[in-house]
Amino acid sequence: MSERTERSEGRGGMPSGHGMSERTERSDGREGMPSRHGMSLEELRAGLARLAGTVVADADPYTSVLRHARRRRRSRWGAGVGAFLAALLAAAVAGPAIGVGDLRTWFRDPEGGTGYAITNDWARRLLDSPTRGSLAGDRSLVGELTRVFDADRDEAGMSAALPTVRILFADDSTGVRVVVVAYRSDRAAGLVAKTAPIGSRPLELVRAGGLVNLPVAPFTVLDDSLDGVRWHLGLAPAGCAVSTAPTATVAHEARDRQPVGETGRIRRGWQPALTPGYVLLNEEHPRGWWRVECDGTIREQGPVALRDGELSSKLPLPDGTATEAPDSDEVRRTGQAAIRDHLLLAAAAGLPTSPAPVRRWSGRLPGDGRPASISGSASGVGPVVLHVGASHDTLLATASAANARPDDTGTRGASRAGWALAATAVGGSNDLTAVRVPAWSDGQAVLTDRLLVVSQAADAVRVKLIGPDGASTVAPVANGFAILTSPPGAGPFTLLVLDRDNVVIALRGVSDGSAGPQLFEEPLISDWG
């Protein structure tokens, strides 16, 4: 379990992280740690008085605990991948917390800074990598950082059970000084990331606020902020190449003369990072994707900011965008949520968010009658989002149940009770939009074998799916939509929209050749096996 330590900017206060975070304060007026011994009764009373004066009971402690548990797990997407959506998609960790004197030991990381088992050779390769960052060449500084973070483990929050200390990253190019430190043994390791003002000495860095006892992923993703400066780091093993694609475009048939099935798909141009094996961004809301290639194989690929697929109504929208006013009707609320989802996900993908998407279809799904809505461009070409359920708190489905990334469903499933679900696709015309219906499976959002096909053609009567073996399935169009059955990954197939005389109104080729994770039909990759 990881821990976050925060900088002291006030006096007193109980940790708001429900025992999982620590924020240290030096109440003796001197720079350095509070005394570990000989705390007087008066000091203890004063500390307790400050605590009692600032503690406010949470209206719903259980919900807050679950929300805090979600945010602690923001260091990667699924098992290895947290900013436009780093801020937007639960990329921020637990909120500020303050301790008083020796009382701070009450709120220690329950794991005691003992790290996590090293189960992957790529993670070992990252741990064995040389120091990266703009300060990596300062051997004197790196050596002093190593000595200080080893000697002052109490401040760092890490156990002596991890005897080896290595500085993986040291940098001040973003306007703050950032260090990432690995503590390891032969079998386990944990990371510490600290942020302080530029020019901070090693002793000041070890005492600064930051992230404590984080697991080591082959591609480790971290972010934090100080004094209005936010940084985002993607750190790969030495020898791997990192590329970025901050923006993307949508293929349009009229000017690109795309073959059937290509219109509406996302195009992305990759740019090699100028730094060896890592990317460091200091944007408040980073957009686009990054990719990691090792030994000629793509090992990681996905949005810079999107980590766990959680979308929330409490998160801000891109500047200059707006949704419809709140509405009491459940279906209309679902439509508003679909537009919000679309804006958030498009920004994460590096796609334009203006003009804003529109509600292309709303209704209730057959069977359970859940409200559902599809948002997309007014032309029908490009990314589309299906939102199922009236809640604005949403979990994104990117893969089938067999291919969904692992999740700690016991905790997160309980905390997501009542959440809506979302799925993505791309559309090729105004007369044909198809997206898989998401569902819950063991607390996770997954894509099902139900394909929702929507057509705005007034004379649409039926839709037809032709599989790769020539077999076909037909479903009637009612209220502008139809439901077909096709397992994820069963493609490629062709979809047709037909009128009453079986004349083709619209057709689209759908690759659907993989049931693996996808976002707007771009593959999400995390392959470090």
Side-chain angles (χ1 to χ4, degrees), residues 360-366 372 374 452-458 460-462 476-483:
R360 296 195 53 77
W361 172 86
S362 291
R364 293 187 178 273
L365 296 176
I374 292 178
L452 174 63
V453 183
V454 173
S455 178
Q456 294 191 355
V461 172
R462 62 183 65 85
V477 174
N479 300 317
F481 77 97
I483 296 287

Side-chain angles (χ1 to χ4, degrees), residues 235-485:
L235 187 61
C240 296
V242 183
S243 302
T244 61
T247 61
T249 59
V250 175
H252 288 272
E253 185 174 22
R255 68 170 181 268
D256 297 337
R257 298 188 180 278
Q258 299 297 319
V260 172
E262 291 301 310
T263 301
R265 298 203 184 280
I266 294 174
R267 291 175 164 180
R268 195 174 293 281
W270 294 96
Q271 305 167 7
L274 300 178
T275 47
Y278 75 91
V279 170
L280 180 65
L281 304 172
N282 65 338
E283 306 167 20
E284 180 66 23
H285 306 309
R287 299 164 62 100
W289 283 36
W290 50 20
R291 168 190 285 176
V292 181
E293 295 183 65
C294 304
D295 303 333
T297 300
I298 298 175
R299 296 290 180 180
E300 192 84 23
Q301 177 177 287
V304 171
L306 181 61
R307 305 283 175 78
D308 53 15
E310 293 184 352
L311 312 178
S312 171
S313 61
K314 302 177 181 63
L315 303 174
L317 289 172
D319 293 340
T321 61
T323 59
E324 302 172 42
D327 192 288
S328 60
D329 179 73
E330 190 177 49
V331 174
R332 287 182 63 86
R333 290 203 313 272
T334 302
Q336 295 160 16
I339 291 175
R340 171 177 289 273
D341 291 351
H342 193 290
L343 289 167
L344 296 175
L345 293 171
L351 290 162
T353 55
S354 179
V358 300
R359 179 166 37 182
R360 296 195 53 77
W361 172 86
S362 291
R364 293 187 178 273
L365 296 176
D368 56 20
R370 288 178 298 167
S373 183
I374 292 178
S375 61
S377 69
S379 68
V381 176
V384 296
V385 175
L386 168 63
H387 183 102
V388 179
S391 174
H392 281 259
D393 286 324
T394 311
L395 189 61
L396 177 66
T398 61
S400 65
N403 292 276
R405 289 179 172 138
D407 196 358
D408 54 342
T409 57
T411 298
R412 305 187 89 171
S415 69
R416 293 162 174 165
W419 281 34
L421 298 173
T424 67
V426 294
S429 75
N430 198 45
D431 294 325
L432 198 164
T433 300
V435 58
R436 290 199 175 275
V437 178
W440 289 103
S441 176
D442 294 329
Q444 297 184 90
V446 302
L447 300 177
T448 68
D449 60 0
R450 302 175 74 198
L451 192 66
L452 174 63
V453 183
V454 173
S455 178
Q456 294 191 355
D459 51 350
V461 172
R462 62 183 65 85
V463 295
K464 184 175 185 178
L465 182 151
I466 303 175
D469 59 356
S472 63
T473 303
V474 178
V477 174
N479 300 317
F481 77 97
I483 296 287
L484 292 166
T485 300

Side-chain angles (χ1 to χ4, degrees), residues 18-192:
H18 305 279
M20 304 304 178
S21 301
E22 173 194 20
R23 182 175 180 175
T24 62
E25 175 181 5
R26 296 171 179 81
S27 57
D28 55 6
R30 296 180 290 109
E31 187 178 71
M33 285 184 59
S35 173
R36 293 182 176 81
H37 305 289
M39 175 182 255
S40 70
L41 182 59
E42 290 302 317
E43 288 174 322
L44 180 60
R45 285 174 176 167
L48 289 172
R50 287 197 298 272
L51 287 168
T54 55
V55 173
V56 179
D58 197 298
D60 185 357
Y62 180 66
T63 299
S64 293
V65 169
L66 294 175
R67 182 173 61 248
H68 177 79
R70 285 202 311 272
R71 290 176 177 173
R72 284 200 321 273
R73 294 165 173 83
R74 81 193 199 4
S75 62
R76 36 188 185 154
W77 164 280
V81 251
F84 177 71
L85 287 178
L88 297 183
L89 303 176
V93 294
I98 300 175
V100 179
D102 291 337
L103 301 181
R104 64 189 178 147
T105 59
W106 295 355
F107 314 117
R108 272 295 189 203
D109 166 23
E111 299 295 331
T114 55
Y116 306 81
I118 304 172
T119 59
N120 185 288
D121 288 340
W122 286 105
R124 290 186 185 276
R125 185 164 160 179
L126 175 62
L127 290 167
D128 292 335
S129 298
T131 305
R132 265 82 61 86
S134 65
L135 301 175
D138 190 337
R139 295 186 180 181
S140 176
L141 175 62
V142 172
E144 181 67 6
L145 284 168
T146 304
R147 187 191 68 77
V148 169
F149 274 83
D150 188 16
D152 208 347
R153 288 169 177 264
D154 186 67
E155 285 283 7
M158 298 302 289
S159 169
L162 303 174
T164 301
V165 177
R166 190 180 189 94
I167 309 301
L168 295 184
F169 188 79
D171 189 279
D172 61 5
S173 65
T174 61
V176 293
R177 179 157 287 187
V178 177
V179 294
V180 179
V181 186
Y183 291 78
R184 65 175 296 187
S185 65
D186 290 339
R187 298 183 178 180
L191 297 180
V192 170

